[in-house]
Every structure is written in structure tokens, then in C-alpha cells.
Amino acid sequence: MLKLMTFPAGFGEPSLSPFCLKAMILLDLSGRPWEPEWLTMPPDTGYGKLPILRTPDGPVPDSNFILAWLEAQGADLFPGHDAGQRAQAHAIIRMVEEHLRLFLVHDRWVREDGWAVLEPAVFGGMPRPLRLVVPGLVRKGIRKSLRNQGIGRFSDAHAAQATAADLDVLQQRLGDGPWLFGSRPTAADAAVVPVLSALDKLPGDTPARQGLRARDSLMAYVTRARAQLYPERFRTPISAAA
């Protein structure tokens, strides 16, 4: 059985990391049996981050390399896609993971209301001497990286404008369908849903959360995905999530 090294739950999500939840959904979509291996810190294996999939071929780090490994084993994670749709899916995944997700990082690590929830969830098990120093140092590093990237300098108005552009793309792609590319969920949904759901679960009324919640079709999509795509032990009935 495959084992997925993953961060534990947090913010009401199956994992603190959208990438770990993405890997969980991909494994379920592939039909391969798997079980989680909960970790609070990444091991030396891989790139110093999670998820990592333990496979007969050795450990596979990074959710996108896990996707490629599952496809190499024969999993159809883009069912019915032609070359054009596959290209669109790739672009959407990159948009969400490399742009929209950064606002999630900002709202968890930089905003005080997000940090108040994140700090105990991530560092709560750390011995007291380290707990007094390490969280602040890590937070400082993330603040710096976000400022260097650019979005850490944005006003709330510009954050709302930037996230709205991404959310509009997702809303347009979804249309009236249940999933981003038609009647069946794909790897694109596995990547997009964890980020949207985590934005919805933010404790503060951030520009990104406001923008998501203002789009009824995207919120219905997130609710549907929680009920149908989350690993079974974490699924929320649609009536309870609505």
C-alpha cells in the first residue's frame, strides 16, 4: 500500500497544506490504495517539504511529481481531455498554485487573525524553548519572501483586484458544470479545490475570502467537492456544508 507523508489537519481542512490535500485527492482519483503518514515536519527525504509519497520506486516528493508518477502507473487523471484542455488545465493549476495560493499564505502567516490560528496548529507541539523563537523566525522569513514576490506589499484593494481576476477565470471555466472540465473531476479539481476551500476557512474576512464567497457558483463547487472528493474520513455532507 502506498503511504503519503502529509501534514496533519488544520483550519478545518484534512491537512494544513493544500498540496497535501491535493495529493490525497489524486490518490483517491487514481484508485490506488493508500494511507496517511502524519508528520509535523518534513523529513530529509525530498525537498524539505510535504507531501511525499512512499512508492515501490522510492519516495516521490511534490504533488506535481506525485501526479506524474500516478499517470506513469496508468492512472487517468485528466479523463477525456484533448491536448487543448490539458494545456488549459495545466495553466489553471499553475495560476492557482503559484498566484492565488500566495494570498492564502499571506492571510495565514501575515494577518494577525490568521496567525493566531496557524501558530498553535503548526508549532504547538514544539518544546517551549524553541516555541519562543522558531515561530517568529519562520514568520519573518515568509513575510520577507512575500514582500520580495510582491503581494506582501499589496493594499487590501489591490489584493481584492488580483484575487478577483483569478476567481473570475475559475468561475468562467466552471460555467454550469459540476467540475472544471465537465462531468468528471480531474487533477485540475484536485489542485484548485484545496486552495479555494482553505480560503473559505480563513478566520478573517480577507479580500480573497470575500471574493470567493461572493461567487455562488464557486462556493457551490467547493461544497460539492468537500462532499465528493475529500478522502472519505474527512467528507462533509452537502447539507451540513451549505
Side-chain angles (χ1 to χ4, degrees):
M1 179 178 292
L2 300 174
K3 288 192 175 183
L4 182 70
M5 289 185 272
T6 175
F7 288 114
F11 283 90
E13 292 288 279
S15 174
L16 280 165
S17 166
F19 293 115
C20 290
L21 179 52
K22 170 189 171 184
M24 294 178 187
I25 295 172
L26 289 172
L27 285 163
D28 278 355
L29 290 176
S30 77
R32 297 289 296 264
W34 66 278
E35 60 183 23
E37 182 178 335
W38 304 111
L39 300 175
T40 56
M41 294 292 292
D44 293 336
T45 305
Y47 299 115
K49 62 180 184 177
L50 296 175
I52 300 171
L53 184 65
R54 295 187 188 274
T55 78
D57 302 324
V60 179
D62 192 278
S63 64
N64 287 311
F65 294 135
I66 291 171
L67 166 59
W69 185 86
L70 290 170
E71 288 190 296
Q73 308 308 304
D76 184 4
L77 297 172
F78 295 92
H81 282 40
D82 58 25
Q85 289 174 319
R86 181 70 184 250
Q88 289 180 38
H90 177 85
I92 284 174
I93 291 170
R94 289 295 182 267
M95 177 190 76
V96 169
E97 293 185 344
E98 305 301 333
H99 187 255
L100 184 60
R101 181 190 59 86
L102 296 184
F103 291 90
L104 173 65
V105 175
H106 176 276
D107 293 345
R108 284 179 169 184
W109 287 86
V110 177
R111 286 178 58 108
E112 294 301 328
D113 44 14
W115 177 247
V117 178
L118 183 75
E119 192 272 341
V122 174
F123 302 104
M126 188 170 286
R128 181 170 174 77
L130 294 176
R131 176 83 184 271
L132 296 176
V133 177
V134 172
L137 290 176
V138 176
R139 188 187 191 197
K140 182 179 179 180
I142 290 176
R143 281 180 186 267
K144 182 178 180 180
S145 69
L146 290 173
R147 284 188 62 81
N148 288 341
Q149 191 277 339
I151 72 163
R153 306 170 189 264
F154 285 7
S155 65
D156 279 356
H158 282 153
Q161 182 178 341
T163 54
D166 291 349
L167 294 170
D168 285 345
V169 169
L170 295 175
Q171 189 172 45
Q172 179 65 33
R173 177 64 254 181
L174 182 66
D176 296 326
W179 307 108
L180 289 172
F181 287 88
S183 61
R184 290 184 289 175
T186 73
D189 300 290
V192 169
V193 166
V195 174
L196 295 184
S197 186
L199 287 173
D200 177 51
K201 297 285 184 68
L202 285 167
D205 197 20
T206 75
R209 194 184 79 164
Q210 288 178 3
L212 171 62
R213 291 186 172 186
R215 291 164 170 79
D216 291 343
S217 63
L218 289 183
M219 285 303 302
Y221 167 64
V222 170
T223 298
R224 184 163 53 250
R226 287 173 181 157
Q228 298 182 36
L229 295 188
Y230 277 24
E232 190 168 355
R233 74 193 76 180
F234 302 115
R235 290 183 186 176
T236 303
I238 289 180
S239 59

